[in-house]
Amino acid sequence: MKREAKMAPGGGQDEDLNAGALAQPPPEFSPAYFWSLNDALDERVLLAQLRDMHARGLRSVCIHPMPPEFCPETMANAMSPPYLSDEYFRLIRRMVEECAALGMHFYLYDEAAWPSGSAAGRVHARNPREFSRKRVGYDEIKLESGKNYRVDPDALAAALRNAAGIVQILPPGAEVTAAGPGLTLRIFKMREGQDYLPPRADPLCLAATRTFIELTHENYARHVGARFGGNIKFAFTDEPAAEGTHPAPATAPGRLTWTADLPQEFRREKSYDLIPHLPRLLEKNRDIDTTRVLLDFYDIWSKLFAARYLRPLRDWCREHGLLSGGHMGGEDELRYNADGGFGHILRALRELDLPGIDAIWRQIFPANPAPPVFPKYAQSVARQKNGPDLVLSESFMVYGNGLTPAEMKWIVDQQLALGVNIFVFGHYAYATRDHFMAFARPFFGPVNPFWKYLKPFHEYVARLGYLLSRGRSDCNTAVYCPIRDVWAGGDYRAHAIAMHDRVAAGLLEHQCDFDYVDDDLLSPANLGNGRLMAGPASYSTIIVPKSDWLTESALKCLADFVQKGGCLIAVGGMPAADGGRLTLAQAMAGKIAAGGSTVSTGRGKMLAVEIDKLFQAVEPLVKIHPPQPGLRVCKRVCANARIYFLANSEDRDVTSEFRFPENAPAMIYDATDNSFARLECRNGEPGNLRLHFAPWASKAIVFAENPAEFYPVAGGMSGAGSEILNLNDGWQIRPLRRYEVGEKNFEISAMPDESFVPARLDDWRGQLGDDFSGDAEYRVEFDLREVRPGQYFLDLGLVRYAASVELNGIAVGAVIWKPFVVEVTGAVRTGRNALSLTVTNSLANAILREGVREQWLERCGREWPAIKFPYDERQRAFEKDSLPSGLSGPVRLLGVDA
């Protein structure tokens, strides 16, 4: 029975913001953890782990099957029963049933680990010759002068070369005589890309994709299809990819992405033959005619990838009541549109109902100086399709087990400000025994000292993800994404990437929102009255960094856009097609702005600027004085509210005047306790607010004509508070619980008999040791002369990295990010007070203990499988950042009078 996919609630500016729903958003907005099923599966353990996740406030989970056939030489996974077996699906059905009973959402993950599309080698096994991933490469032989050579009949083409380059292109079966020394013959053949275990399937082959769906999706439908559209709403496809194209790498022979009928598809769409041009595509120096062919080649295979892999998955999901989601691999760098296996990131993501990104090994991290821009690709696609703006992120995998709750919040906040609202975190491992201890970290679950603190974080993520999916974005500016210039390679590629990154980062640093558009969207058919239309999105301003390889259709669209009333901003030079030979000046009959001046052309205008002047020409979402380049901002529009989310990316306090283009009363929403509080405008001017951001802090600000919809509200400290007592002296410390790297697994041991010793507020490694990971208790006593009416707060200063607080035997709360402040009203008393803190650091100290890595390596091939540790060295470098531990203070008791 055909069913239509049920979208999550929302998806239009006429939607009301329902404050009541924020208390417990739909479960799909709860972050999920990749649940790595890497060992022999026991139903009792599986259900216990699900309940553990649920107890930590999680209402989503994403299974991640890891059978033995996945990367056996590097990971040695041991999942049983066999992947896709009857017993496997029995356990899947049991997990789904338990999730339903717990009110949890269950992702349909479509592969055994990654990349998706192969069913752990089973697709390839059905038809190895047809379904293998394919590429074109060459063999090169030196020719002896005067000898005759015959090109292999099964070759695609051949090239006779000398030191200067290609002398002659030869067809299969051709004969050539070496007329002199220094000649070589390159013979080009299609090759099966089978240097992987398990063998990967060709996503450019439609029959392979259909076989993949039959083996995976159809099997899931038979066993848990009754839950589709219920507590199973999303299908996750993970890093699908064809063989990547590398036309002229510096260190190895080039290769081209391929599939068996690519030449026929090329001829059908481009009306000329590809094969005679093939050898020239792999030359380091290409003339403009060859570059045109190369762009046509990329255009064809990236379309095949979208049409033959991503679209069939999406269509199947929609027919079965699911939304198709996932991400590519390498979308964080623009160069992977040429080098990677997806070809065109915007084209690929448009085939997903839930477009996503992959934030692994710290592409998004506080230490990175430039703002991340790659979430904008998925955000743009989500805004430009019908339905709710849902954007997925896989985050934290290979960040290392030094990742702290404060860093987790920072990473999430930055992505929320860039349009992400659905999260899958990496990862919760079914087993961490033996060699699994060295796998992709961080591990979440009981082996992570922070796990017990993370329920408020999970609820925070769910509430803000839901809030920032309401209504629609308010974005009128588009930025051209120069994918074709990247395809062109050489100086075109280098310049396009540099300009793309500078423009995007600069706009974000000036609080200017934008979406990406490309040649596929720049079509005269998408033009309205001075606007470029893309589904529900529309743009009155288009920014085009200097690009030379727009399609002629896209260039004509820009000219028509201006003539019909739009504003075009050309940065660093005018856009052009055909390698610069066809200019926008020609399309606009010479009416071009120069030197930063504006020229009216038709009903619109055109502005030519250098990049340092661009940001004066684009209206920000909010005006800030003094400027704050570290603040990221996004905006959502509902029928009854305007929602702004602002995130401070810098580790410093920020205070400025903010002028929002709003006339309604302002409120601040606190996602940690689900409360609204009224904000006072300055000087009686609506939208004029003075705001302070602590380091790494974020704020959700809501403007609504009827604040009563969101009240009554109360909570938090009403002011900065004044210091009543300084509590920096007299502390004692003792270790409570230790997390260690054991012989067989991570080990957690209580240390109840340890005695307190005097402590100074500083890095505890001097007292507990460099390798101590876990919990330590700090205690101090203090006298308070009088408890007056009002509020009392304890400011712990700097905590590395989480703490729970008990005052006079009353548990008053926990803190996991700055400001480390907890309210103690009701617990504080006149006279003697006893304060106890349990402070927790990360697992990094234990993992980096001297000798651990050496022991792991020594066990490989002896007690453990003979494998490599593909991520361990990278993670260890990250984990070194989090070794300082403990309570540093200053600790102060603050008061706010009633």
Side-chain angles (χ1 to χ4, degrees):
M1 181 176 66
K2 183 173 181 179
R3 287 181 283 175
E4 183 178 349
K6 296 179 181 178
M7 298 286 189
Q13 293 185 5
D14 57 350
E15 173 196 35
D16 277 343
L17 173 61
N18 180 357
L22 289 168
Q24 190 171 30
E28 56 266 33
F29 287 95
S30 170
Y33 282 85
F34 270 143
W35 191 11
S36 299
L37 307 181
N38 57 352
D39 210 347
L41 302 180
D42 183 296
E43 181 178 323
R44 292 170 298 175
V45 175
L46 290 167
L47 299 185
Q49 291 184 350
L50 266 179
R51 292 162 188 159
D52 177 49
M53 294 182 217
H54 184 261
R56 296 296 177 268
L58 292 164
R59 292 182 298 126
S60 276
V61 67
C62 185
I63 59 163
H64 203 262
M66 303 191 77
E69 55 266 37
F70 175 70
C71 294
E73 297 177 350
T74 57
M75 297 183 188
N77 297 292
M79 188 190 84
S80 64
Y83 181 55
L84 303 181
S85 67
D86 289 343
E87 179 61 14
Y88 169 83
F89 280 111
R90 186 192 72 78
L91 290 173
I92 292 293
R93 187 165 55 250
R94 187 67 188 90
M95 294 179 220
V96 172
E97 290 169 352
E98 184 67 16
C99 282
L102 295 170
M104 294 181 70
H105 173 250
F106 185 94
Y107 282 79
L108 179 68
Y109 186 84
D110 70 8
E111 184 53 79
W114 70 92
S116 289
S118 298
R122 289 160 175 78
V123 174
H124 174 267
R126 284 281 186 93
N127 191 334
R129 183 173 181 83
E130 182 181 355
F131 292 171
S132 292
R133 293 209 324 189
K134 301 183 176 61
R135 61 176 178 257
V136 164
Y138 59 80
D139 296 316
E140 189 164 19
I141 58 175
K142 293 181 180 180
L143 304 186
E144 296 182 27
S145 181
K147 286 191 67 174
N148 293 331
Y149 294 86
R150 185 169 182 263
V151 178
D152 293 349
D154 60 346
L156 293 168
L160 184 65
R161 302 181 79 257
N162 60 21
I166 292 178
V167 175
Q168 183 181 1
I169 304 293
L170 302 168
E175 293 186 358
V176 61
T177 300
L183 293 175
T184 62
L185 187 65
R186 283 185 178 176
I187 302 171
F188 293 80
K189 293 184 178 182
M190 181 180 75
R191 293 170 173 162
E192 297 179 2
Q194 291 315 319
D195 48 352
Y196 308 102
L197 287 175
R200 299 176 182 179
D202 179 8
L204 308 185
C205 173
L206 184 57
T209 301
R210 288 172 175 163
T211 301
F212 173 61
I213 292 173
E214 173 198 336
L215 289 168
T216 56
H217 296 62
E218 294 287 356
N219 257 319
Y220 280 103
R222 278 191 289 273
H223 290 89
V224 293
R227 295 288 183 182
F228 287 3
N231 74 314
I232 305 177
K233 292 184 173 67
F234 303 149
F236 192 122
T237 195
D238 197 355
E239 297 188 10
E243 286 285 304
T245 284
H246 298 272
T251 59
R255 68 174 186 261
L256 297 174
T257 306
W258 207 256
T259 196
D261 65 341
L262 193 148
Q264 291 82 3
E265 289 297 316
F266 189 99
R267 171 120 185 120
R268 184 180 62 81
E269 184 160 335
K270 300 301 181 182
S271 300
Y272 68 94
D273 289 330
L274 171 64
I275 297 301
H277 302 276
L278 192 63
R280 298 190 187 277
L281 299 186
L282 292 176
E283 290 291 308
K284 185 173 182 180
N285 298 311
R286 293 181 293 272
D287 60 23
I288 197 166
D289 292 331
T290 302
T291 301
R292 290 192 194 101
V293 178
L294 182 64
L295 267 63
D296 283 346
F297 168 77
Y298 273 112
D299 187 47
I300 291 299
W301 83 252
S302 63
K303 285 179 177 176
L304 291 177
F305 176 65
R308 292 182 174 181
Y309 180 79
L310 295 167
R311 195 174 304 155
L313 264 64
R314 183 198 65 190
D315 291 347
W316 187 94
C317 287
R318 289 180 176 179
E319 290 173 0
H320 291 78
L322 300 174
L323 299 182
S324 171
H327 63 78
M328 307 304 118
E331 70 277 335
D332 56 303
E333 294 185 56
L334 193 65
R335 69 183 180 93
Y336 282 107
N337 287 278
D339 299 345
F342 52 84
H344 190 306
I345 188 61
L346 297 175
R347 187 175 285 169
L349 291 176
R350 287 189 187 111
E351 300 298 336
L352 299 175
D353 297 311
L354 182 61
I357 64 167
D358 192 9
I360 57 172
W361 48 60
R362 298 196 179 191
Q363 295 99 328
I364 301 177
F365 200 67
N368 297 340
V373 300
F374 66 96
K376 279 284 186 179
Y377 304 134
Q379 177 206 53
S380 302
V381 168
R383 289 175 172 181
Q384 293 161 0
K385 65 179 178 61
N386 293 316
D389 296 354
L390 299 179
V391 179
L392 170 73
S393 172
E394 175 190 332
S395 296
F396 305 157
M397 193 72 86
V398 198
Y399 269 62
N401 249 115
L403 185 67
T404 69
E407 291 167 343
M408 293 165 66
K409 176 182 178 293
W410 186 96
I411 295 160
V412 165
D413 282 347
Q414 299 306 302
Q415 294 183 77
L416 287 167
L418 295 171
V420 175
N421 45 35
I422 302 282
F423 290 89
V424 174
F425 296 148
H427 66 128
Y428 189 117
Y430 176 83
T432 56
R433 66 170 176 86
D434 299 329
H435 57 287
F436 296 136
M437 290 188 284
F439 182 55
R441 303 191 294 271
F443 294 112
F444 291 94
V447 300
N448 189 318
F450 298 134
W451 184 242
K452 54 186 170 287
Y453 292 96
L454 292 183
K455 183 177 180 180
F457 169 69
H458 298 148
E459 293 172 341
Y460 171 91
V461 175
R463 288 172 183 149
L464 283 178
Y466 179 73
L467 177 73
L468 297 176
S469 71
R470 304 301 85 197
R472 280 285 178 189
S473 67
D474 184 18
C475 179
N476 297 313
T477 301
V479 174
Y480 175 72
C481 191
I483 290 173
R484 289 173 56 84
D485 286 69
V486 176
W487 288 348
D491 291 341
Y492 298 117
R493 164 176 161 154
H495 180 75
I497 291 173
M499 286 294 290
H500 166 274
D501 292 349
R502 290 181 63 195
V503 166
L507 289 169
L508 294 178
E509 289 169 349
H510 287 79
Q511 293 78 47
C512 299
D513 197 10
F514 66 92
D515 289 338
Y516 282 114
V517 296
D518 60 346
D519 299 83
D520 291 356
L521 287 184
L522 288 175
S523 165
N526 293 334
L527 292 181
N529 185 20
R531 304 186 77 88
L532 176 69
M533 315 300 292
S538 67
Y539 310 101
S540 57
T541 297
I542 301 177
I543 299 169
V544 185
K546 178 67 172 72
S547 301
D548 290 310
W549 284 101
L550 281 79
T551 62
E552 292 186 24
S553 174
L555 196 69
K556 176 63 165 59
C557 177
L558 291 177
D560 291 347
F561 170 74
V562 175
Q563 291 169 346
K564 293 181 178 180
C567 174
L568 174 68
I569 303 177
V571 185
M574 282 294 159
D578 198 28
R581 294 187 179 186
L582 179 61
T583 67
L584 188 61
Q586 294 168 321
M588 299 297 297
K591 297 179 180 179
I592 298 298
S597 60
T598 303
V599 171
S600 295
T601 310
R603 293 188 292 122
K605 64 180 182 180
M606 191 181 307
L607 181 65
V609 299
E610 294 305 315
I611 194 165
D612 59 332
K613 301 295 183 183
L614 167 64
F615 315 111
Q616 302 171 13
V618 183
E619 189 72 14
L621 291 176
V622 56
K623 296 180 180 178
I624 305 175
H625 182 76
Q628 300 294 347
L631 280 180
R632 309 287 170 256
V633 185
C634 67
K635 179 183 178 182
R636 307 289 297 179
V637 179
C638 295
N640 64 337
R642 303 292 187 268
I643 305 164
Y644 292 82
F645 181 73
L646 302 94
N648 180 13
S649 67
E650 299 183 3
D651 193 15
R652 66 179 183 90
D653 289 277
V654 167
T655 302
S656 283
E657 303 285 336
F658 290 74
R659 291 187 175 272
F660 296 87
E662 306 293 345
N663 293 315
M667 297 168 287
I668 188 165
Y669 173 65
D670 188 339
T672 58
D673 63 5
N674 190 39
S675 67
F676 287 85
R678 184 72 176 264
L679 287 173
E680 297 299 325
C681 62
R682 291 179 59 81
N683 305 318
E685 299 178 18
N688 184 3
L689 304 174
R690 183 173 178 81
L691 299 175
H692 171 260
F693 289 80
W696 295 4
S698 60
K699 298 182 188 294
I701 297 175
V702 179
F703 294 87
E705 293 291 348
N706 184 16
E709 293 182 59
F710 305 92
Y711 289 115
V713 295
M717 186 161 50
S718 57
S722 57
E723 181 177 311
I724 296 175
L725 284 177
N726 182 300
L727 303 177
N728 288 323
D729 298 320
W731 288 92
Q732 296 179 310
I733 188 174
R734 67 170 180 173
L736 285 181
R737 187 177 294 104
R738 187 179 194 118
Y739 291 68
E740 297 180 274
V741 179
E743 289 292 314
K744 295 295 184 181
N745 209 329
F746 295 106
E747 298 175 355
I748 306 169
S749 57
M751 308 173 71
D753 298 330
E754 294 289 335
S755 300
F756 280 98
V757 296
R760 61 183 182 277
L761 298 189
D762 199 353
D763 188 342
W764 76 28
R765 287 182 293 171
Q767 290 184 277
L768 302 185
D770 291 344
D771 62 352
F772 182 84
S773 288
D775 306 325
E777 181 182 3
Y778 289 82
R779 72 180 183 184
V780 72
E781 294 186 350
F782 62 92
D783 292 314
L784 191 61
R785 180 176 302 175
E786 178 187 9
V787 176
R788 300 171 58 183
Q791 291 176 288
Y792 287 83
F793 298 87
L794 193 66
D795 183 348
L796 303 182
L798 177 61
V799 176
R800 296 187 175 102
Y801 296 93
S804 59
V805 184
E806 185 178 285
L807 181 60
N808 297 320
I810 301 171
V812 293
V815 287
I816 54 177
W817 53 65
K818 295 179 181 178
F820 294 103
V821 176
V822 62
E823 184 171 2
V824 295
T825 307
V828 67
R829 65 193 181 196
T830 300
R832 198 68 170 170
N833 288 262
L835 174 62
S836 172
L837 310 177
T838 298
V839 176
T840 304
N841 71 339
S842 79
L843 194 60
N845 299 69
I847 291 173
L848 295 181
R849 175 173 55 83
E850 185 177 355
V852 166
R853 178 171 168 80
E854 290 73 19
Q855 291 172 18
W856 286 353
L857 292 172
E858 192 271 336
R859 289 174 183 169
C860 286
R862 185 169 57 84
E863 303 169 53
W864 299 351
I867 59 170
K868 303 172 184 176
F869 296 143
Y871 307 120
D872 184 55
E873 192 169 354
R874 182 192 292 260
Q875 292 166 152
R876 286 175 172 274
F878 294 154
E879 286 160 345
K880 290 178 182 178
D881 294 342
S882 303
L883 295 178
S885 306
L887 176 65
S888 295
V891 181
R892 301 179 300 153
L893 182 66
L894 307 179
V896 178
D897 291 336

